[in-house]
Amino acid sequence: MDQPGPSAPMHEHSSYSVEGQQPDYLDTVLEIFKWHKHPFIMVEECALTWMGAAVVMGQDCDVLVRTAQLPDILRDLLGTGRWIQVEHSNKTQEVMIYADVPRIRRVPEVLGPDNDLCLSLWSEKKYHLAVDGPTVEVLDCCALNSVLIEQRFAPSVMWAPRSLAAEGVKFVHDVRARSDRCTIPIFVPSIPRFLDADLDRYRDNVDKKLLDMPFVLTKPLHTLNLVRYLYLDMPRQKDLVLSEMAPRNWPMMEHLIDTFKRKSSSILSFTPEQEQEIKEIRAKNPLPQ
């Protein structure tokens, strides 16, 4: 289905199974991050579900970790006896995209033999994103139905991503990763920072010639998903997101937006207020000619 809308199924994207898991299955993880004075920041598909993108989830919850603190946090997670370190799939091992990204899985004795819940720990250096920077707090680990938390990026279109105010839509699983008694927050990066990191990693993969290897996506897929779901091909949306991205990524981002082909369009005309907002954004943050 090209556009998310009222006819979409209530559970629009798959994720790792939560059936049979106990509530609060990430409480201990959050407590370890807090002990290390480190925020719990999700990236990859888990983050995209809170950015309005109806993406297909894998079995991993990907977490951003300060490069210097990653070894100690990994050691303490394994030290609980609830996690074991495992390899990535053969496909990702083959292309080395996940090299130096530790992956841990809950032991079967904790969640049952069929459980495949994993955490992948991305260092700042590997993900091309600093822990310290603008983030947005979210409700839980992965969203049951995609939702746009940063409503300032909401497009004025018929099929705009849902907000938390949407009626009749559940955004968290019945079995929640974080218990009600745990008050440790869960974050995702701000959308402009997430885009910058995606394009920086893509450029790094090009430089390392990883894109020539089997099974590697030849385009920055996360960026293209946000172009699609946030309607960044609309002038207002394009100007707004570019104004907060790093100038080094403006040319590539503009190229991806300008060459994006939308299968169908439900774009509405701008109100006078929105037209004025576009002018103000462009005046404050002029893009290179």
Side-chain angles (χ1 to χ4, degrees):
M1 183 176 69
D2 182 49
Q3 307 295 347
S7 61
M10 292 304 295
H11 307 306
E12 61 194 20
H13 45 72
S14 61
S15 65
Y16 47 70
S17 172
V18 296
E19 293 183 6
Q21 293 184 18
Q22 297 296 318
D24 73 12
Y25 59 88
L26 281 185
D27 276 14
T28 302
V29 175
L30 293 170
E31 289 165 0
I32 288 173
F33 272 74
K34 181 179 179 180
W35 191 89
H36 283 275
K37 295 181 172 57
H38 195 296
F40 190 82
I41 303 174
M42 300 185 301
V43 292
E44 296 290 282
E45 286 80 8
C46 275
L48 280 168
T49 64
W50 298 104
M51 297 176 182
V55 296
V56 176
M57 293 288 300
Q59 67 188 75
D60 288 33
C61 176
D62 296 88
V63 185
L64 182 68
V65 185
R66 291 190 185 101
T67 301
Q69 290 183 267
L70 195 154
D72 290 340
I73 290 176
L74 175 61
R75 179 202 62 212
D76 288 349
L77 288 169
L78 296 174
T80 64
R82 299 184 176 190
W83 299 87
I84 56 175
Q85 190 160 0
V86 296
E87 298 291 337
H88 290 276
S89 69
N90 290 334
K91 184 181 293 186
T92 52
Q93 281 287 318
E94 186 173 340
V95 299
M96 300 301 289
I97 292 295
Y98 283 83
D100 304 319
V101 180
R103 187 181 193 226
I104 59 177
R105 173 178 286 149
R106 288 294 293 262
V107 298
E109 291 77 7
V110 175
L111 292 178
D114 297 326
N115 187 272
D116 57 0
L117 172 64
C118 296
L119 295 179
S120 287
L121 306 179
W122 292 80
S123 70
E124 296 171 303
K125 180 179 179 180
K126 183 71 176 181
Y127 207 74
H128 291 264
L129 182 63
V131 165
D132 298 311
T135 55
V136 181
E137 186 172 357
V138 298
L139 301 180
D140 204 40
C141 185
C142 59
L144 178 61
N145 288 289
S146 60
V147 58
L148 179 58
I149 297 293
E150 286 187 274
Q151 275 296 295
R152 62 199 182 92
F153 292 109
S156 297
V157 297
M158 184 179 299
W159 301 119
R162 304 177 185 92
S163 72
L164 287 176
E167 296 182 1
V169 182
K170 291 178 61 176
F171 296 115
V172 295
H173 292 270
D174 291 332
V175 178
R176 301 186 63 165
R178 179 182 58 186
S179 69
D180 292 337
R181 66 178 178 274
C182 180
T183 60
I184 301 170
I186 298 174
F187 299 98
V188 299
S190 66
I191 288 172
R193 295 183 70 233
F194 186 83
L195 288 167
D196 275 330
D198 192 44
L199 296 183
D200 288 340
R201 285 196 313 282
Y202 175 78
R203 190 180 297 108
D204 187 49
N205 289 338
V206 170
D207 292 342
K208 294 178 179 177
K209 301 187 184 303
L210 291 180
L211 300 186
D212 298 331
M213 302 180 73
F215 307 113
V216 180
L217 295 172
T218 57
K219 295 182 180 180
L221 186 59
H222 296 335
T223 297
L224 292 175
N225 270 317
L226 289 176
V227 171
R228 174 190 176 188
Y229 286 102
L230 298 184
Y231 286 80
L232 300 185
D233 48 328
M234 296 172 62
R236 172 188 178 274
Q237 296 295 97
K238 176 182 177 180
D239 288 347
L240 180 59
V241 75
L242 281 173
S243 71
E244 298 186 32
M245 290 181 64
R248 66 180 179 275
N249 285 321
W250 286 353
M252 185 185 299
M253 190 67 188
E254 285 197 285
H255 173 73
L256 291 170
I257 291 173
D258 293 343
T259 57
F260 177 75
K261 303 297 184 184
R262 190 173 296 279
K263 293 181 181 179
S264 62
S265 178
S266 56
I267 296 177
L268 305 180
S269 60
F270 295 121
T271 65
E273 291 78 11
Q274 290 169 334
E275 292 285 1
Q276 180 61 33
E277 183 180 359
I278 293 172
K279 293 179 182 179
E280 293 175 357
I281 292 172
R282 287 175 172 168
K284 185 178 180 180
N285 301 279
L287 299 177
Q289 299 298 319

